[in-house]
């Protein structure tokens, strides 16, 4: 087998390579002067089971294009099977027509990845579980929950916290974690008047005196989290922390989190950290390298990955 990466998250790719005790395949992935992407694979991949680790995170279009071009290079080099390992699948939030005459970009991106020559996909905490069906190839959607539950138990204990979903759409995800640690669940009734802006309308559940932990798949502008934290504290919560799989953290979101009332934001390394996230004192990272590495190892040896979902 071979493990290949583009430029989206080299730190995670290196950590996965260490877990697998497999060196990263020697590839050039660079830009021409007009910003076109150029790829060259410097090792023979004929007949190999190849895994390309690439998050389609910021800059989403560049990272997606690197993935497509790497796939094309590997397919034309006679790789036996190509698996796209997408710790973060960008464009996932565009999973339905949000208004008349709008695209379903998540489906288009899934089609592009498949058409480029990818044979199967491994991803993590898709924004909506049904996006798995956008790929007409075998797709494993791993969960960050087991990693988060372990960390919550170590740092907050079981039974001392209340799990909170920051919106109605995230209830299933938050409930799964609440059940695992035996905690109660509260729900924030969030409205999004327009993209990038969120408002808290109500809190469903009694959070007074509770240490609340918000659970979500994505933190982007940070608005959802910061507003939810303020509303929970106003409703009497003792403290508010958050566990979020994908730290998109666009623009000045990390600063917004750092200056917010959130005690701590825990994100995974599905998206590479920036200088701004490194600087934020209340942002901590949990690695998913062993989870991704194990999923790759089991896929390569045709073993079940379902126990990784427990
Ligand atoms: C929305 O449904 C997602 O699960 C997240 O809550 C959302 O993407 C977070 O965005 P932001 O941080 O910009 O409020």
């Amino acid at each position: 087998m071979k493990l290949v990466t583009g430029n989206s998250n080299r730190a995670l790719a290196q950590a996965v390579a260490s877990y697998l005790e497999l060196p990263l395949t020697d590839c050039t992935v660079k830009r021409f002067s007009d910003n076109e992407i150029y790829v060259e694979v410097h090792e023979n991949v004929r007949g190999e089971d190849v895994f390309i680790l690439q998050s389609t995170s910021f800059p989403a279009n560049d990272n997606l294009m690197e993935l497509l071009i790497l796939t094309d290079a590997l397919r034309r080099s006679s790789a036996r099977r190509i698996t796209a390992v997408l710790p973060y699948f960008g464009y996932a939030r565009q999973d339905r027509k949000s208004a008349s005459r709008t695209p379903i970009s998540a489906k288009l991106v899934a089609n592009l990845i498949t058409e480029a020559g990818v044979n199967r996909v491994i991803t993590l905490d898709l924004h909506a579980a049904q996006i798995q069906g956008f790929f007409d190839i075998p797709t494993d959607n791993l969960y960050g929950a087991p990693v988060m539950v372990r960390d919550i138990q170590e740092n907050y204990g079981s039974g001392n916290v209340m799990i909170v979903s920051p919106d109605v759409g995230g209830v299933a995800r938050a409930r799964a974690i609440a059940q695992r640690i035996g905690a109660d669940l509260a729900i924030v009734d969030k409205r999004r008047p327009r993209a990038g802006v969120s408002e808290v309308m109500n809190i469903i559940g009694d959070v007074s005196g509770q240490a609340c932990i918000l659970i979500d798949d994505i933190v982007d502008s940070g608005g959802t989290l910061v507003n939810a934290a303020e509303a929970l504290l106003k409703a009497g919560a003792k403290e508010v922390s958050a566990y979020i799989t994908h730290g998109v953290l666009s623009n000045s979101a990390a600063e917004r989190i750092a200056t917010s009332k959130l005690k701590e934001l825990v994100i995974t390394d599905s998206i590479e950290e920036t200088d701004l996230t490194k600087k934020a004192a209340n942002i901590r990272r949990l690695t998913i390298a062993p989870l991704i590495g194990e999923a790759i190892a089991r896929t390569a040896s045709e073993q079940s990955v379902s126990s990784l979902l427990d």
Side-chain angles (χ1 to χ4, degrees), residues 93 127 166-167 169-170 173 190 192 196-198 216-225:
R93 285 174 286 177
H127 177 58
D167 53 34
R173 185 180 296 113
K190 174 183 95 174
R192 205 180 265 295
V197 178
S198 66
D216 210 349
D217 60 329
I218 294 172
V219 48
D220 187 346
S221 67
T224 299
L225 272 192

Side-chain angles (χ1 to χ4, degrees), residues 219-222 225-226 242 247-267 273-286:
V219 48
D220 187 346
S221 67
L225 272 192
V226 170
V248 173
L249 295 167
S250 304
N251 304 317
S252 55
E255 284 168 339
R256 188 175 189 180
I257 300 290
T259 53
S260 75
K261 295 185 174 137
L262 269 176
K263 181 182 172 204
E264 179 180 52
L265 164 62
V266 182
I267 51 177
E273 68 183 332
T274 61
D275 290 344
L276 284 176
T277 50
K278 277 184 210 158
K279 263 195 233 154
N282 61 349
I283 299 183
R284 180 161 64 87
R285 291 166 77 83
L286 275 182

